[in-house]
Amino acid sequence: MTEALVIQAAALQAQGFSLKQIQPHLRITEGKNKGKNPSVGAISQALRAHDEAMEAAE
């Protein structure tokens, strides 16, 4: 997932959306899966990595 998608997913999660609710809001914009939604697992992994990076930056 691109950094823009991760930031968008994190913002939606902060608003109280579940992973299943976040999925339809995201679209892959490049690569062979262009135009599709990322899987819930991919979103979860990306958000976990984003959270760990934010904690490390503090």
Side-chain angles (χ1 to χ4, degrees), residues 5-17:
L5 285 179
V6 175
I7 291 169
Q8 183 180 3
L12 289 169
Q13 188 178 40
Q15 293 177 9
F17 285 79

Side-chain angles (χ1 to χ4, degrees), residues 27-40:
R27 287 265 184 235
I28 299 170
T29 57
E30 49 193 47
K32 72 175 189 174
N33 291 323
K34 182 177 180 176
K36 296 182 181 178
N37 301 85
S39 68
V40 173

Side-chain angles (χ1 to χ4, degrees), residues 18-32:
S18 71
L19 292 177
K20 284 198 168 260
Q21 291 171 323
I22 292 170
Q23 185 184 24
H25 293 275
L26 304 178
R27 287 265 184 235
I28 299 170
T29 57
E30 49 193 47
K32 72 175 189 174

